[in-house]
Structure formats: structure tokens, C-alpha cells
Amino acid sequence: MIILNLAKKKNNNSNKMKLIYYINSKKFNTNKTNNDLELIAHQENNRFTLKIKALKDLTLGIAKKDIKFNINYKDVYFFNGYQSWTDSFENKLKKRERNIHKSPHIISHMFAMDKYGDASFYKYSIKKSHGYDVFYSKGKYESFIYNLNSNNAYLIIELIKDKKDIRLISDTNGLKLKKGEEFVIFDYMFFTSFKEGLASFNEAFPKRNLDKVFGYTSWYNYYQNINEEIILRDLEALDDRFNLFQIDDGYETKVGDWLTIDPVKFPNGLKPIVNKIHEKGLKAGVWLAPFAAEEESELFKNHKELFVKDKKGHYLKAGGNWSGFYALNMENNEARKYVEKSLKYYLDMGFDFFKLDFLYASHIIPKKGLTRAQSAKENYKFLREILGDKIILGCGANTFSSNETFDYLRVGPDVSLIFDDVWFMRLFHRERISTKVTIQNTIYRSFMNDHLFGNDPDVFLLRDDNINLSEGQKHALITINALFGNVLMTSDDIAVYDDSKKEKLSNAFDIFYHATNKEYSKKGNCIEIKYELNNKKYNLLYDTKRGEIING
């Protein structure tokens, strides 16, 4: 029994809808009349909702809904990437999405490169572009779509180039419903005006008025090669403008062995350093990857029962970082206890700020009977429950799942010490380390800032040593980060800054706290940026190819 109660409305954008589901492993779809479920659809103004009521025990596949859509190849389209690091740009439709499956299989398999994003569960095609939970177009044909159902299911927005359709996919795959249970499959807003859609988005996700974070992190100068001497030296260099000092990766013996601080690097442990950070009037921050453990860790070597297995029974390699790393099974109660014990270990040391990384690892394989979105939200909330009112900066996480759970979220990949990554990574890898990518993500995801969370654009770097960015690229990085982020961080030892670098830092600090009326628009390979500061209007042109501001 399929009931479609669709409110009549002028210019109704609803067209075809199809839901796949399974009963006792047998596949069905709603294009055929049956007595397995009820579908109740409702459309009012710009909002469309679709609810299912199961009349038998069943398991959902994905739901698809097509909308007729006008395409203009001169228009620009924004597709929000799957997670923090996924490239998320305004582009014209001739731009193809990078597909990791086009890379040599031996390389992608060895480094688990398909696990960082959505390539392990979404089928890429040159005939379509896609994104998650929010989409817009600008130009002759405007639109704005956003998901109000992200706690239940991710909304995958596909633009089918040859058919001139938008296909909305609700990622309900794997959800188990008992007879009589109800579930919201779709709940989204659709506008044919970018301005109206953005205003509605801002109303649906009101401003949170989060504090701005101006801080230091140890990663982008020393990486894992940190020790007590380096940390205390860089701490001493910070002035009273800074409000955070974060110790990044490298303090633990191995990633995953969070309860073992490296005794050679930190013979006195971290607690005395936390005390010194507090004495300086700063919040103490620490980095962890709570759902991950590298292959060489004692946790993985000795407690493999805590880790996720794939369909073939192999332990799920979630990425190639460190010695390769694996995903903890958050359906395992002992694994959950370990995550809780690890985080409380750092709570007891007095840390105020937790940068939690590689969070996508918690839902590469969703929990049994739940959607991927439900799995992500449940695991992210688990972190919040442990950490209480401490500040959380999420990284490597889905954007909409982070809303109302994390205070801040990284919105692009890691800054690289060269402008872009090596050539073969540029060809295929959407989550690669790249200053080029992260600057554009910072701009194009800026409408989320202080609505879903506070945007973290990653670090700026002004130093001369251990870096291969041009002076123009370093200037663009600090300026754009200051304009469009709620977090402004560096890994430089600012004690060695000369007068020129001190002036650039002061200017960025002023922009970060006082710039207003910020706007951006794509101009070919450039992005025009406008803002006001101290009653003066500025107009910058950022060259995305060169990575430099070419007129200011």
C-alpha cells in the first residue's frame, strides 16, 4: 500500500520517486503496488518530506527522487564534499570529479585511498557530479537545496548532466524497520533563488555566536617530531593575542596507544605542560584520533577483536597514514570503553580543547540496522557525552553530522608545505593534503561558518624555513583564513618573526576579529573577495591557479 499525499502547489518540482527495500533478502521497489509499506509525502512551500511506515519487517535500500532542472554550462554549481577534507568548490559542469578508482588499483588498495571519502560506497561517473546535504547553483538558473534530515540519512544531490535532472538520493541503505515503525526518508528545502535559499539555510541553522580561536598547533612544522623542549619553547613565544596552545600528533608512542605518552620525548609527561599553558592564560589543546589505531600500535597488535572487519572478514584498513591504520568497531562495548578511557585520561590532565581527527573511520561501515548518517551522529554524540562542555574541533568528519555536536570543524584538507600535492594525487584523490584545495574549501564552505559550527580553515604559515610556499601564497593563505574562518592557527615559532612577518600577523589578527560584509564570487580561475575593515572597503582577486592574491 503506497500512499502519496502530495500537496498541490504551483511549479511543483516533484517528479519520479523510487524506494528500494528488502524483505528476507528479496529485493523490492515502490514502483510496483504492494502491501509492505506506506509512503506519506507532503510538500508545502519550499519543503518536501516523505515518511515511510513499515507494514512488515523490512530493510531499506536507497531512495531516489528526480527533479527536472534547467542546466546552463556557463552557470556555477557548488557540491559539498562527503567529509571535512573532500574538495568542495564552485565549478562549471565541464569540470569532472576526481575518481580514486581511476588510479592504479595496487596503489589505492595499499594505502586504502578509497576509504577517506565516499568512493567505497558511491559509484562515480563522468556523466554526473554530486555532493552531500547542501547544493546551490548561480547564474542563469539559480537553486539552493539543503537537508533537514541529516540525523536520519545523508542527502546525496546528483546533477545528471545529459538528462538535465537533479537526482536526490536518501542514503537509507541498511536501515532495518520493524512492522509498524515509521522513518523520515526525505526532508529537504528546495529554492529556485540562491538568495532565498541561503536566507532559509541561515534561519534553519541560526548563528551560534561561537568564540574565535586564535592559536598554535605543533603539527605543521615538526609533524610527529615534537618533544618537551620544542613545545615549551614555542609556548613561550606566544603573546597575549593567542588563546589556545594545541599539542598535536607525536606525543603518544603510537597512534591508538593513547594511554602511553612517549617517555623519551616527554619524560615528565604532559600534565606539567598543561599547567604551563594555563599559567600563560591559554586553553590547553590536544590532538587525538579516537576511532583509529595504526598497524604498529600495541592496541591493534594485541586487541584485534576491537576492530571492524569488512565483508570478506579482513580488518578494515581506514587509511594509509602512519603504518596504515584501522577502524575501531564502535558496536563493540570494549572498544567504546577504550575510547572513553582514553579521552578521560586527557580530561584528567586538564585539557580544555580536543581536536578529534579521522572521524570518518567510525562509519565507513555503518552500524548494523542503521544508516551511515545515524552511525556517524551516534558516534559523534558519544564523544560529546564523554567530553561534556569541553571544546571539540572535529576533523575528517561529515559536515552536517557535526552540527550541534562539535563546536568547530575543519572545512578543508591539511595545508601542504607545497602549494599542491604530488601529480598522481592531484589526478585522483579528493581528500589529499593540499593548500590549493583547502583555501578554496575555506571560501566556498564559509556560508556554514557559525551556523553549523565554527569553520576551521587549518593553519597559516609565514616562516621562511621548512616550507615551499611563495610569499604570495603565504599572504593569500593567512588573509583568506582570517577572513572566512572562526579558527586561526599557526605552527610557526613566532619568536623568529621579523618586522614584516609581525606586521602581517597583526593585519591578519585585525581582519580575523573585525572584517565585515564579506562576499565572494567566482571569476573564471579567480575568486573575487570583497570585505570591509575599519570603515574601508577592500576588493581582492584570488588566483586559484597561482594561489596568490593578484591585486592586493
Side-chain angles (χ1 to χ4, degrees):
M1 183 185 299
I2 303 172
I3 305 172
L4 288 176
N5 293 337
L6 198 59
K8 291 183 179 180
K9 180 181 178 291
K10 208 170 184 180
N11 299 323
N12 192 338
N13 282 301
S14 64
N15 289 297
K16 296 182 294 183
M17 201 288 297
K18 177 181 178 181
L19 170 66
I20 296 169
Y21 63 98
Y22 302 84
I23 298 177
N24 297 324
S25 300
K26 187 176 180 180
K27 186 176 180 180
F28 298 88
N29 73 73
T30 54
N31 284 354
K32 297 179 180 179
T33 303
N34 58 74
N35 296 310
D36 302 328
L37 53 85
E38 292 179 0
L39 289 174
I40 310 297
H42 182 71
Q43 185 165 332
E44 184 175 358
N45 297 323
N46 299 91
R47 185 169 184 172
F48 177 85
T49 58
L50 179 68
K51 183 187 292 186
I52 181 176
K53 181 177 181 180
L55 303 180
K56 298 178 180 177
D57 292 355
L58 52 85
T59 301
L60 297 186
I62 60 172
K64 298 179 181 180
K65 183 172 185 289
D66 291 346
I67 299 174
K68 288 297 179 185
F69 188 76
N70 291 315
I71 288 177
N72 182 355
Y73 281 84
K74 293 183 179 180
D75 290 351
V76 294
Y77 301 86
F78 172 80
F79 294 93
N80 184 44
Y82 174 64
Q83 58 114 320
S84 298
W85 308 328
T86 312
D87 50 27
S88 302
F89 303 165
E90 284 184 3
N91 273 318
K92 294 185 178 179
L93 284 184
K94 66 180 180 180
K95 185 77 173 180
R96 292 184 179 181
E97 292 180 335
R98 290 176 173 84
N99 182 357
I100 194 63
H101 292 302
K102 296 294 184 181
S103 65
H105 177 72
I106 190 169
I107 295 175
S108 61
H109 178 73
M110 182 183 301
F111 297 104
M113 290 168 66
D114 63 330
K115 300 299 188 294
Y116 291 94
D118 63 351
S120 63
F121 63 89
Y122 177 82
K123 188 174 181 180
Y124 279 69
S125 168
I126 62 172
K127 295 181 179 180
K128 61 188 181 183
S129 296
H130 79 291
Y132 289 78
D133 298 317
V134 61
F135 161 88
Y136 64 73
S137 59
K138 293 178 180 177
K140 184 177 180 180
Y141 301 114
E142 292 188 351
S143 65
F144 199 106
I145 302 170
Y146 66 90
N147 189 15
L148 291 168
N149 194 41
S150 60
N151 288 347
N152 283 327
Y154 295 139
L155 183 67
I156 303 174
I157 302 112
E158 291 184 337
L159 205 159
I160 315 298
K161 299 176 185 180
D162 56 347
K163 293 184 178 180
K164 296 186 178 181
D165 281 350
I166 283 181
R167 174 167 292 160
L168 302 179
I169 300 174
S170 183
D171 184 20
T172 52
N173 200 39
L175 179 73
K176 292 185 180 298
L177 292 177
K178 295 287 187 181
K179 180 180 178 180
E181 286 186 328
E182 296 183 351
F183 181 82
V184 176
I185 293 177
F186 285 109
D187 187 3
Y188 65 85
M189 303 292 287
F190 182 99
F191 293 85
T192 55
S193 162
F194 170 80
K195 185 177 180 180
E196 290 178 9
L198 181 60
S200 174
F201 177 90
N202 291 340
E203 184 177 341
F205 304 101
K207 287 201 73 169
R208 298 176 62 179
N209 295 315
L210 294 159
D211 292 337
K212 286 183 175 284
V213 175
F214 190 71
Y216 168 95
T217 175
S218 57
W219 181 249
Y220 294 91
N221 202 348
Y222 314 107
Y223 295 99
Q224 287 190 309
N225 301 316
I226 55 173
N227 58 40
E228 184 176 291
E229 180 184 357
I230 289 171
I231 292 298
L232 291 178
R233 183 197 67 204
D234 284 10
L235 172 62
E236 183 61 29
L238 301 188
D239 57 45
D240 59 8
R241 292 175 296 184
F242 287 81
N243 55 29
L244 171 71
F245 186 94
Q246 179 198 302
I247 302 170
D248 215 291
D249 187 14
Y251 62 85
E252 76 287 1
T253 50
K254 294 289 181 181
V255 169
D257 294 337
W258 307 115
L259 303 177
T260 311
I261 307 300
D262 191 309
V264 176
K265 295 178 179 180
F266 294 91
N268 299 302
L270 298 183
K271 176 63 174 173
I273 297 175
V274 172
N275 293 340
K276 287 184 181 294
I277 295 170
H278 287 158
E279 288 168 9
K280 201 171 174 68
L282 306 175
K283 287 183 171 62
V286 67
W287 173 95
L288 297 100
F291 300 129
E294 63 174 303
E295 189 168 341
E296 293 179 358
S297 68
E298 293 301 312
L299 184 69
F300 184 73
K301 288 178 183 177
N302 300 322
H303 297 283
K304 286 189 173 65
E305 72 278 4
L306 302 183
F307 292 84
V308 176
K309 289 184 178 181
D310 62 21
K311 292 179 180 179
K312 295 181 179 179
H314 302 138
Y315 290 104
L316 182 70
K317 193 171 186 178
N321 302 66
W322 311 291
S323 53
F325 69 95
Y326 295 81
L328 280 165
N329 181 3
M330 296 309 292
E331 294 186 78
N332 184 307
N333 193 46
E334 293 304 311
R336 291 172 66 85
K337 286 180 180 178
Y338 180 75
V339 171
E340 183 173 7
K341 185 177 181 179
S342 297
L343 291 174
K344 286 185 174 179
Y345 181 63
Y346 294 90
L347 276 175
D348 291 343
M349 286 188 207
F351 282 100
D352 316 287
F353 181 101
F354 288 77
K355 178 181 176 182
L356 304 180
D357 208 348
F358 293 86
L359 298 183
Y360 69 87
S362 76
H363 48 96
I364 294 176
I365 296 179
K367 293 184 177 182
K368 291 183 179 67
L370 299 183
T371 67
R372 197 175 309 276
Q374 288 175 321
S375 296
K377 196 67 178 183
E378 186 175 296
N379 291 327
Y380 295 1
K381 280 186 174 180
F382 177 60
L383 300 175
R384 172 54 73 192
E385 289 166 3
I386 297 168
L387 294 175
D389 61 357
K390 298 301 180 183
I391 301 168
I392 301 177
L393 190 162
C395 192
N398 179 275
T399 51
F400 274 58
S401 295
S402 300
N403 176 46
E404 297 181 338
T405 309
F406 303 144
D407 303 286
Y408 304 94
L409 187 77
R410 174 78 71 75
V411 291
D414 280 15
V415 163
S416 53
L417 301 187
I418 56 175
F419 183 56
D420 204 359
D421 210 337
V422 293
W423 68 268
F424 55 87
M425 296 289 270
R426 294 198 301 268
L427 288 177
F428 309 114
H429 198 356
R430 297 191 65 188
E431 289 79 27
R432 70 188 190 278
I433 294 170
S434 171
T435 299
K436 180 179 181 179
V437 172
T438 203
I439 287 177
Q440 292 188 67
N441 273 34
T442 296
I443 296 169
Y444 289 128
R445 279 177 162 171
S446 62
F447 69 93
M448 302 177 185
N449 188 35
D450 213 19
H451 289 278
L452 297 179
F453 33 69
N455 283 18
D456 169 26
D458 207 17
V459 297
F460 68 86
L461 303 168
L462 295 177
R463 64 178 186 263
D464 296 319
D465 61 315
N466 189 29
I467 194 167
N468 285 302
L469 296 176
S470 70
E471 289 303 311
Q473 289 165 349
K474 287 186 278 188
H475 171 66
L477 180 62
I478 191 172
T479 302
I480 291 170
N481 284 8
L483 276 169
F484 294 111
N486 224 339
V487 178
L488 189 62
M489 302 273 278
T490 189
S491 292
D492 291 349
D493 175 7
I494 69 167
V496 300
Y497 275 9
D498 58 21
D499 289 342
S500 174
K501 290 179 176 55
K502 289 178 182 177
E503 183 180 2
K504 288 178 181 178
L505 180 57
S506 295
N507 290 340
F509 186 82
D510 197 20
I511 291 171
F512 184 53
Y513 280 98
H514 302 121
T516 59
N517 298 324
K518 293 167 276 190
E519 299 177 2
Y520 61 87
S521 58
K522 185 174 176 62
K523 306 287 185 183
N525 290 325
C526 294
I527 303 171
E528 184 179 39
I529 299 169
K530 297 178 181 180
Y531 66 97
E532 294 181 22
L533 179 65
N534 301 326
N535 297 315
K536 185 177 178 180
K537 293 184 178 181
Y538 292 83
N539 193 326
L540 309 179
L541 197 63
Y542 172 67
D543 187 325
T544 62
K545 297 284 188 181
R546 289 166 48 186
E548 298 183 355
I549 295 169
I550 58 178
N551 70 334

